[in-house]
Amino acid sequence: MTNLQKGLIVSCQAPVDSPLHDAYVIAAMAQAAVNNGAVGVRIDTPNHIKAVREKVQVPIIGLWKQVITGSDVYITPQFHHAVAVAKAGADIIAIDATTRNRPGDEKLIDIINRIHQELGKPVMADVDTFAAAKLAVDAGADIVGTTLFGYTAETKTFAPPGWELLTQIVENLDTFIICEGGISSPEMARKALDLGANAVVVGGAITGIDLLVKAYNSVL
């Protein structure tokens, strides 16, 4: 993970109902990010990952958001989703690593082990709490991200970024740590690194045209 150390990773995603949710557009976003210094990109869905892989050489953190009845887990929820993400060209597989029940009753430790053994890829564990972070590290996750802080039932009363969660992880776990979620300015990204994050992911503040325009219009 040394090629990500102290760098900016740009999440290039768009809502499914947006005209930006197009493989060509996502790949262009990723290429623009890399051209301007991003050390990695975070990409959702296999066809978008494949398009980005053809345009950039930096590490791709790949995931596949899937809403499955009976479970709140949606970031690469099952192993077969991880397989598709790996085949599309992702270098790192991001998965939901909260303590919530997974579809098909798959277990976090089993998915991490299979990604390592069968796909030969490192795993980024997207967590919401310190307890989830510790469980993920104990299960063998290579990277822990604060991605889901503020987006689960347990943390919904808090707004990202999770500075306290980040600090807890930095002080108590020996792992590569990515601060993700709610980073909306260069100064906040700098703060994440100053608090001990190894790298920082910025998404909506850079690539979120739909939400940014809505935010501006809401006050005009």
Side-chain angles (χ1 to χ4, degrees):
M1 255 64 76
T2 55
N3 46 358
L4 298 177
Q5 183 69 30
K6 298 303 178 185
L8 170 67
I9 300 162
V10 177
S11 181
C12 303
Q13 301 181 43
V16 294
D17 59 350
S18 168
L20 299 178
H21 191 80
D22 176 274
Y24 175 84
V25 175
I26 296 296
M29 283 185 188
Q31 194 170 16
V34 173
N35 286 352
N36 287 283
V39 299
V41 290
R42 182 170 160 118
I43 311 294
D44 173 31
T45 79
N47 64 320
H48 290 182
I49 294 166
K50 184 175 184 297
V52 171
R53 180 79 292 162
E54 294 172 357
K55 296 293 185 181
V56 306
Q57 300 302 312
V58 299
I60 295 174
I61 300 173
L63 60 138
W64 194 1
K65 292 179 180 176
Q66 292 285 283
V67 176
I68 299 174
T69 302
S71 174
D72 291 326
V73 170
Y74 63 92
I75 296 176
T76 324
Q78 296 176 286
F79 178 68
H80 70 87
H81 299 122
V83 172
V85 167
K87 287 182 176 178
D91 302 285
I92 298 164
I93 312 296
I95 65 172
D96 181 310
T98 62
T99 58
R100 299 176 294 187
N101 291 331
R102 311 186 75 85
D105 203 31
E106 291 189 33
K107 304 303 180 188
L108 178 66
I109 190 169
D110 295 332
I111 293 177
I112 292 174
N113 286 338
R114 293 187 70 185
I115 291 173
H116 285 160
Q117 295 167 10
E118 298 178 37
L119 304 179
K121 304 286 185 181
V123 174
M124 177 175 173
D126 292 343
V127 304
D128 59 338
T129 65
F130 177 75
K134 186 175 188 312
L135 287 171
V137 171
D138 290 345
D142 306 276
I143 301 169
V144 169
T146 58
T147 317
L148 290 169
F149 177 84
Y151 297 99
T152 63
E154 192 168 349
T155 63
K156 65 182 180 181
T157 58
F158 303 102
W163 299 130
E164 289 185 12
L165 173 59
L166 173 62
T167 300
Q168 273 189 295
I169 297 171
V170 167
E171 292 178 351
N172 294 284
L173 298 178
D174 182 17
T175 189
F176 193 94
I177 304 161
I178 293 179
C179 183
E180 178 175 7
I183 304 297
S184 58
S185 70
E187 292 75 22
M188 291 175 75
R190 180 68 255 173
K191 179 176 179 177
L193 297 185
D194 289 344
L195 287 174
N198 297 99
V200 59
V201 169
V202 180
I206 294 175
T207 60
I209 294 175
D210 301 272
L211 292 177
L212 288 170
V213 173
K214 285 180 179 177
Y216 277 95
N217 273 329
S218 70
V219 297
L220 297 180

